[in-house]
Amino acid sequence: MSSRSKKTGSRFYELYCIGCGRRVREDESTTRCPTCRSPLDVRYDYDYIRSRLNRYSLRNSPIKAMKYLDFSPIENLNLVISLDEGGTPLYRCRKLEEAAGYSRLYIKNEGANPTGVFKDRGTMVELSKMKERGAKAVCVASTGNMAASVAAYASIAMIPCYVLVPEGTAIGKMAQALSYGARLLQVRGTYNDVFRLTEEMSERYHFTLAGDYAFRAEGQKTQAFEIIEQLDWRVPAVVIVPMGFGTNIAAIWKGFKEFYDLGLTDRLPRLIGVQPEGCNPIVSGFNRGEEKIIPVERPNTICSALAAGDPLDGVKALRAIRESGGCALTVSDTEILEAQQQLARLESIFVEPAGALPIAALRQLLTTARVRADEVVVCLATGNGLKDPRSALRVLPSPAAIEPSIQEVDKFLKLKLYEIRAAGAKNGDRNLFTEVPSKGALSDLVNKEFGIHLTSEYAQRVLRLVEDFVNKGKQVTKADLQYILETTLKSASGEGVLKVEDFQVTTTLHGHAQAKVWVRFEGEQLESSGSGVGPVDAVINALKAAANSRGRLFFELIDYQVEINSPGTDASVETTLVLKDAQDNRIVTTGTSPDIIVASVQAFVDGYNLLWSRQQS
Ligand SMILES: *Cc1c(COP(=O)(O)O)cnc(C)c1O
Ligand SMILES: [Zn+2]
């Protein structure tokens, strides 16, 4: 049997407006109330659901979202659009328990869904309903995850899918949506602008709207059902949920209530909603004690998935939190990124920033006694970290690259280059000194900040570079010192054949740049000049000319890259040069300085000397 309408022909559910209470027919709207524009909700005939419920199968069949179709408004089961969503793992997190001071902490890993986010559960119901109603095209506003999820399901449903996202949306999410065949537009505006534009577009072109509307919650509430089942039909004391639009926390509350009302469970959890400081309209509504959302005009957070300044389901979320006796709180972006790392290090669950909010909130909840340490707590890890790798890389060291030789591996391990990188990635913008320190003080500092001992020779070389920075009027930050250390430790030790005493460059708006260099080649003083398209090019050409006038070392400069370590025109830069000799041996060298020319000269001289010493041996 595929049709689920009642024998009498009447429906087993109806849509109603949460604002004015009016019933809404599906041919009127499935998104907002035609009278007052408030969001809609689905109300069931629970006697009907109860009469059809197969408790044996509910208790014994494996969990996944499709198992709970009895609790969904889908009428024609032949038209269900599913990617086998749900059935995500619930982990007991013993290491995190210890770190955070809890005794029974679980994580529901929603990143394990088909497109990497809980939204797939809702999209399953939403797109199945669209298929039932014969939608010709679907359009959706998204910060990325909704786009990818709707695009995936629209693709199996063979419904064309239009997606609007704010410009600069996480690259993984856009790649997903495009791959599933969505017609994607980036909009130069906030999510609110995107949302408004999408509703307008749907009206003008008769595209069916997908998004955080009533049907979605009917799929997303299966997270609550699964948590109950996975805890052996017991209800946790607390569930912590990140909030953007507020749809998900409201859906989860609905799920817990349905099982409770049907007598499948004997208690309800407290729901705790978390938002980032830079976009917290639901939390501030909770704190004001109102059931009204005051929009945040310019959301500012690393959690793009939560950057909804005017959340349509804010009211539903507030009702859910209050009814459950829970609370709402904010966490900072720094705390979120730390929690993201902590979750990955301790429990090997890699989430996007939005998925780390419940973890970031744990300590605050304990110290303010809103949760007791011995309560059973479930945190929702809402989305997979692969969707937005750039956010994680903000606090991670960029991986080192080496020549394919075991000596390079030796260096990496013995000099602990990995630790230097990791240390530099943390609080990298902290100022270490504005004046040149003594050699001893410098060594102590390096030891304290990076955990390595410098030999006297290396300390001397590090000191020389620090002097360069300070003399140019640049404060030396921890990230600067990290680059200085790496450059020094990786470069050849001892004096090379080529040494630069000074240089001078002139450049103009329209002409070539002209450079003069004064160098020592095997102790002999030389002067040389060169020109180029820009100052760096001119100096490098002058250096090449100086070296070639004596050395007759064949080499080619085959790559040149500049990386700027921080914002601002006084930022220090790291340059990377690749030199190649006649036998195709390649040498990669780096230089660092607040001055791009100095950094380039350093890298060039170092590379040249290395190539020279190799060709002599
Ligand atoms: C959409 C989303 C949320 C927020 O859910 P809402 O229903 O908008 O409150 C949280 N985390 C991730 C990863 C999301 O994609
Ligand atoms: Zn209404």
Side-chain angles (χ1 to χ4, degrees), residues 17 19-22 33 35-38:
C17 166
C20 67
R22 164 190 195 286
C33 173
T35 313
C36 76
R37 308 290 294 152
S38 293

Side-chain angles (χ1 to χ4, degrees), residues 117-119 145 243-248 305-306 352 354 382-383:
V117 73
F118 67 83
K119 289 187 171 72
N145 282 335
M243 300 187 292
F245 239 53
T247 311
N248 202 35
L306 306 178
E352 68 168 282
T382 46

Side-chain angles (χ1 to χ4, degrees), residues 8 28 31 107 253 255 284 312 326 361 424 469 497 505 516 564 585 599:
T8 58
E28 288 178 288
T31 55
I107 291 194
W253 180 237
S284 64
L312 190 63
F469 269 64
V497 279
V505 208
K516 240 183 181 179
I564 300 173
N585 293 313

